[in-house]
Amino acid sequence: MYMSLDDFNFSNKKFWSGFIASSFPTAFDETTDMSLSEIIEKNISPENILADIEWWNRFTGYYDGILEKSDGYINNPKTFIYNLTPAQTLKIEFHPCDIVYYINNNQIGCTGAEYNIFIFPFADLLQYTQNNIDDCIFFLLLPLTIIHKSDIPYAKKKVYNILRLFFDTSICNQLTNSIIHGLMEE
C-alpha cells in the first residue's frame, strides 16, 4: 500500500510515537540509560501507550511469530514514495521489525536489528528539506543522519520543536537529547 505525505501529517500521533520508538536504534538517555520506547512508555498513560502500540502493530503488519516466520519482514509493506530531487526518489518501507530506506530503488539504510544508519550529515538533511515547508520529510529522514558537534544546537532546537507537536513538553527535552546523542558523530 502506497502512502502520501498527507498520511504522515503530525496530527497522526500514533504513527509518530511508533516511528520514534522504533527508528532510532542508537538513541538513549545517558542519565537514565533508557531507550526512546522506554521513555515514551514511562511518560504516557498505560491505556494510551497500549493503543499506540496496537496501532503501530496494525500499521506495520506485526503479529506474534513474525520473526520466526519471515525475520520480521512482510511482502507488501506500507510504503512511502517521495521525490527528494528531480533525480532522486525516496522510498520508505514500514515492516513489522524494520524501516527500510531506498533512493532510486537502492537500499541506503534501515533501522531494524541490524541497523544501517549514519548515512549522510545533518547539513545534507537540511539541504534535502530546505524547500519543503513540511517537517515530516525531515523527521522521516532524521534516523539516517550523522550530527556533527557544530550542528547540535540547531538540531536540538529543530527536533524539540517537532516533538512538542505530539508529546507533552515535559518529555520533549529528554527525547530530543536522546535522539541527538544517538545520532552524534563519534
Side-chain angles (χ1 to χ4, degrees), residues 27-38:
F28 71 97
D29 184 321
E30 289 182 288
T31 58
T32 63
D33 203 30
M34 292 171 66
S35 70
L36 292 179
S37 58
E38 291 170 328

Side-chain angles (χ1 to χ4, degrees), residues 77-138:
K78 298 241 179 7
T79 303
F80 172 69
I81 297 177
Y82 182 81
N83 292 321
L84 285 173
T85 69
Q88 293 181 311
T89 301
L90 169 69
K91 181 169 85 170
I92 305 172
E93 292 181 351
F94 296 91
H95 293 272
C97 299
D98 200 355
I99 298 172
V100 185
Y101 292 82
Y102 299 87
I103 297 272
N104 296 341
N105 292 319
N106 296 313
Q107 184 175 332
I108 62 163
C110 60
T111 63
E114 296 183 25
Y115 62 86
N116 179 21
I117 57 174
F118 307 121
I119 307 301
F120 48 83
F122 183 76
D124 288 359
L125 174 62
L126 293 177
Q127 280 185 318
Y128 275 131
T129 60
Q130 71 183 348
N131 295 327
N132 186 348
I133 58 170
D134 195 332
D135 284 334
C136 294
I137 297 296
F138 169 87

Side-chain angles (χ1 to χ4, degrees), residues 19-63:
F19 179 81
I20 290 165
S22 60
S23 295
F24 296 94
T26 57
F28 71 97
D29 184 321
E30 289 182 288
T31 58
T32 63
D33 203 30
M34 292 171 66
S35 70
L36 292 179
S37 58
E38 291 170 328
I39 295 167
I40 293 168
E41 285 178 34
K42 179 182 175 225
N43 288 283
I44 295 179
S45 68
E47 61 276 357
N48 285 346
I49 196 65
L50 281 176
D52 289 355
I53 291 169
E54 288 173 8
W55 187 93
W56 184 255
N57 287 346
R58 282 191 308 278
F59 174 78
T60 62
Y62 177 86
Y63 59 88

Side-chain angles (χ1 to χ4, degrees), residues 131-165:
N131 295 327
N132 186 348
I133 58 170
D134 195 332
D135 284 334
C136 294
I137 297 296
F138 169 87
F139 219 76
L140 287 169
L141 290 171
L142 185 62
L144 300 180
T145 63
I146 305 165
I147 298 177
H148 302 293
K149 284 189 178 188
S150 60
D151 294 320
I152 291 173
Y154 182 74
K156 280 187 174 184
K157 181 178 179 182
K158 181 127 176 125
V159 170
Y160 176 86
N161 284 334
I162 292 172
L163 289 173
R164 68 188 186 134
L165 296 173

